[in-house]
Amino acid sequence: MKRMNKILYFGAALVCLLFSSCNDYLNIAPKGNKIPTTLADFEALLRDQYTIGRTPVTNALYLLNDVYLTNSQVNTPSLSRANYMWDESADRIVLNNSDEGTYYVLYGAISSCNLIVENVPTATEATDAERNEVIAYAKVIRALCYDVLVNYYADTYDAATAAEKRSVPLITSAEIDAPYTQVSIQDMYDFIIQDVKEAIEMGLPAKSMTAIHPNLGAGYALLARVYLQMQNYSEALRYANLALEQNDQLYDWNAFYEEHKTALDDPDNYDKIATPMQYDYVENYYLRLGEQSVYDSYEKNIPVERAARFEEGDARFLSRWKLKTDNNDTYYKALESGYFNHGGLTTCEVYLIKAECQARLAEGNDYSEAMNTLNAVRITRIRSEVYCPAEASTLEEALSLIRRTKDNELIFSIVPFADARRYNQEGTYARTLTKTYEGQEYSLSPTSHLWTMPFPAGALNNPGNGTIEQNVTK
């Protein structure tokens, strides 16, 4: 434990060096603290989930209205309120003075990955194969972090403009004051793909060290996600199939609901239930936390209007939320607690990527293969008394059915936000979000500037050895 604390202190120092003005103080190694030299020292960095294993995308969840804000929170001016209420007049750049979690958590993880990629080739007490395995883990994690960042702070990928538009800072060194560039969206996507493919070539294992180390299936799954974002459906389908060859298991949520039915059907029982979406979840390729990092905490509450978008008889919904009223707030209260895989990669996501690609590439209006893939997921979720196989006769119908399931399955992850942006950019299947709050109608246009999050003030005011330009006007 002492060695772990020293290593984590070293990693935290590196993050601080990269993103703050504390350089003069941290140039001196703290007395009594160990600098990592062995492979075990470096690999330990991958095991601290709080610093390297989280993906908080809170304001994307507020924008989608996937997380409930109380009336008191809505009535308090904040970045969260501006996104939740779709307030296009709000200056989110000014409001983002303190909400820096997404930026710094992910760049902190990237810093640790950079440290590993740079230094593990000379780490002691290891074989070349063992070193390559740890580097491969770090490359996949780094690529996933950049994929979230580019889909959060930059415009959506568009092949026609990706080479000209700015994305986010690309930092590949853990050295103090290492120079960096705010690269184009195309350059960032090229880097992400290269990092994952290099990890696979280096021997990313079919069975990783632990659930919090990405395995070979995770590498394929991440490539499928990225190619889908780029609207390269044939490559996304190819990598989705490769991922499913590694693991194609789906969890039986109907069985879970039956096991807890008595408590779940009791309208007055809000006792915690341990989530199955943890380390041994059969759908995991790579377990990564979302915002939550404390085991015994509940999942997020959701608004009543968001709950209505779940399919009738969805056992996953029935097992996770229940209607509750607290004074002036009525919402669906979360029932499950534990560590949730809201930031990682799962078989369910890959099935739904595959289904969309099959629909996009279908010939002759035959969407049966896409619906078969979608139904493979649905039959493990929808109660048998209401389940009917999904069918579609047009691409619009097929995509609508797939998207409904995907938005619900991957709620609290970056995926529904990234998918919405992708559909918005494509135009044909874009949606305007609507809601009613205290008798007033609100809407969010697919062309709204709110779909791109502003860089936090800390990043702009302390850019280190590079420059950052804001990607939104407010």
Side-chain angles (χ1 to χ4, degrees):
M1 181 61 71
K2 285 184 178 180
R3 184 174 73 178
M4 172 68 80
N5 289 339
K6 292 171 183 177
I7 292 170
L8 296 180
Y9 183 95
F10 181 76
L14 281 171
V15 175
C16 191
L17 285 167
L18 283 169
F19 299 113
S20 78
S21 58
C22 56
N23 300 39
D24 292 340
Y25 299 99
L26 292 180
N27 278 329
I28 302 170
K31 219 174 200 185
N33 281 274
K34 180 179 179 2
I35 302 300
T37 55
T38 70
L39 183 65
D41 291 337
F42 287 104
E43 190 275 321
L45 293 171
L46 299 174
R47 295 177 182 259
D48 182 54
Q49 286 184 271
Y50 186 79
T51 60
I52 199 171
R54 293 190 299 133
T55 303
V57 288
T58 311
N59 273 286
L61 307 184
Y62 287 143
L63 189 77
L64 293 174
N65 276 215
D66 280 351
V67 172
Y68 181 72
L69 274 185
T70 64
N71 288 322
S72 61
Q73 289 172 308
V74 170
N75 292 325
T76 303
S78 66
L79 180 64
S80 301
R81 188 239 177 238
N83 286 315
Y84 189 77
M85 297 305 296
W86 306 330
D87 184 358
E88 294 191 329
S89 67
D91 191 335
R92 295 182 305 157
I93 295 172
V94 172
L95 292 171
N96 207 16
N97 277 324
S98 60
D99 185 73
E100 303 176 339
T102 302
Y103 192 89
Y104 284 115
V105 168
L106 290 173
Y107 273 111
I110 288 168
S111 178
S112 294
C113 291
N114 288 341
L115 180 70
I116 289 168
V117 172
E118 283 186 320
N119 293 283
V120 163
T122 58
T124 60
E125 300 180 23
T127 65
D128 286 342
E130 290 169 337
R131 293 187 192 94
N132 285 343
E133 180 178 343
V134 172
I135 294 171
Y137 292 144
K139 280 180 170 287
V140 173
I141 294 170
R142 181 170 69 178
L144 186 148
C145 290
Y146 275 125
D147 179 62
V148 174
L149 286 164
V150 74
N151 278 283
Y152 197 82
Y153 293 112
D155 284 349
T156 310
Y157 183 90
D158 179 355
T161 61
E164 286 77 45
K165 287 188 174 183
R166 295 184 305 270
S167 65
V168 298
L170 176 58
I171 304 172
T172 58
S173 175
E175 291 293 325
I176 297 171
D177 288 333
Y180 68 86
T181 303
Q182 187 179 357
V183 298
S184 72
I185 294 173
Q186 185 65 58
D187 286 340
M188 181 57 76
Y189 272 80
D190 290 344
F191 177 83
I192 291 167
I193 291 169
Q194 176 184 322
D195 234 15
V196 181
K197 287 185 175 179
E198 286 179 356
I200 292 170
E201 290 169 3
M202 294 182 77
L204 191 65
K207 185 176 181 180
S208 54
M209 288 183 180
T210 72
I212 62 174
H213 294 72
N215 59 24
L216 180 58
Y220 291 141
L222 182 53
L223 286 172
R225 178 192 287 184
V226 173
Y227 278 118
L228 181 66
Q229 289 164 354
M230 299 173 74
Q231 300 180 37
N232 187 336
Y233 304 118
S234 36
E235 280 298 276
L237 179 59
R238 182 166 78 88
Y239 282 107
N241 282 328
L242 286 171
L244 292 172
E245 286 176 9
Q246 295 295 313
N247 178 14
D248 64 356
Q249 294 187 75
L250 290 166
Y251 185 75
D252 188 350
W253 278 91
N254 280 308
F256 182 86
Y257 174 79
E258 285 294 335
E259 179 184 353
H260 299 279
K261 190 174 187 301
T262 301
L264 292 170
D265 288 353
D266 181 349
D268 299 316
N269 187 340
Y270 294 92
D271 292 345
K272 289 181 180 178
I273 300 173
T275 180
M277 296 182 288
Q278 303 191 68
Y279 299 103
D280 58 351
Y281 193 47
V282 296
E283 298 184 5
N284 287 342
Y285 291 120
Y286 167 48
L287 186 145
R288 185 177 180 84
L289 305 179
E291 178 183 359
Q292 179 244 27
S293 59
V294 179
Y295 175 80
D296 202 33
S297 62
Y298 279 107
E299 207 169 13
K300 295 289 188 181
N301 301 325
I302 63 176
V304 173
E305 288 181 322
R306 179 62 184 87
R309 298 205 296 272
F310 279 84
E311 189 173 350
E312 180 186 0
D314 188 331
R316 202 165 187 257
F317 168 75
L318 296 171
S319 299
R320 293 166 69 187
W321 296 280
K322 189 181 295 183
L323 187 65
K324 186 176 178 63
T325 298
D326 288 325
N327 298 318
N328 294 324
D329 291 291
T330 298
Y331 56 93
Y332 274 79
K333 178 175 173 52
L335 303 174
E336 294 186 3
S337 65
Y339 286 128
F340 299 91
N341 190 4
H342 291 322
L345 295 152
T346 64
T347 59
C348 180
E349 179 183 353
V350 174
Y351 270 99
L352 298 169
I353 290 172
K354 178 176 178 176
E356 179 175 346
C357 293
Q358 288 173 317
R360 298 275 191 175
L361 299 171
E363 297 180 358
N365 294 324
D366 181 3
Y367 301 103
S368 57
E369 286 189 0
M371 293 299 98
N372 288 341
T373 303
L374 171 62
N375 288 326
V377 174
R378 291 179 63 251
I379 201 167
T380 65
R381 272 60 172 169
I382 309 304
R383 305 292 295 141
S384 59
E385 58 267 24
V386 298
Y387 175 81
C388 288
E391 297 178 351
S393 57
T394 67
L395 179 58
E396 184 176 6
E397 288 177 355
L399 294 180
S400 180
L401 290 167
I402 294 164
R403 188 175 174 185
R404 175 182 65 177
T405 296
K406 195 176 182 188
D407 284 351
N408 291 335
E409 287 291 332
L410 300 173
I411 191 172
F412 305 150
S413 78
I414 189 64
V415 174
F417 179 72
D419 277 353
R421 286 162 39 99
R422 175 168 58 87
Y423 280 108
N424 291 346
Q425 186 277 323
E426 182 183 9
T428 307
Y429 308 107
R431 293 176 180 171
T432 296
L433 301 185
T434 60
K435 70 176 178 182
T436 303
Y437 182 78
E438 294 188 344
Q440 185 173 344
E441 297 294 325
Y442 295 85
S443 65
L444 177 64
S445 163
T447 60
S448 172
H449 69 274
L450 296 178
W451 287 104
T452 298
M453 296 295 166
F455 287 123
L460 298 172
N461 297 334
N462 299 285
N465 193 4
T467 57
I468 304 175
E469 293 184 44
Q470 188 63 265
N471 285 329
V472 291
T473 56
K474 60 181 179 179

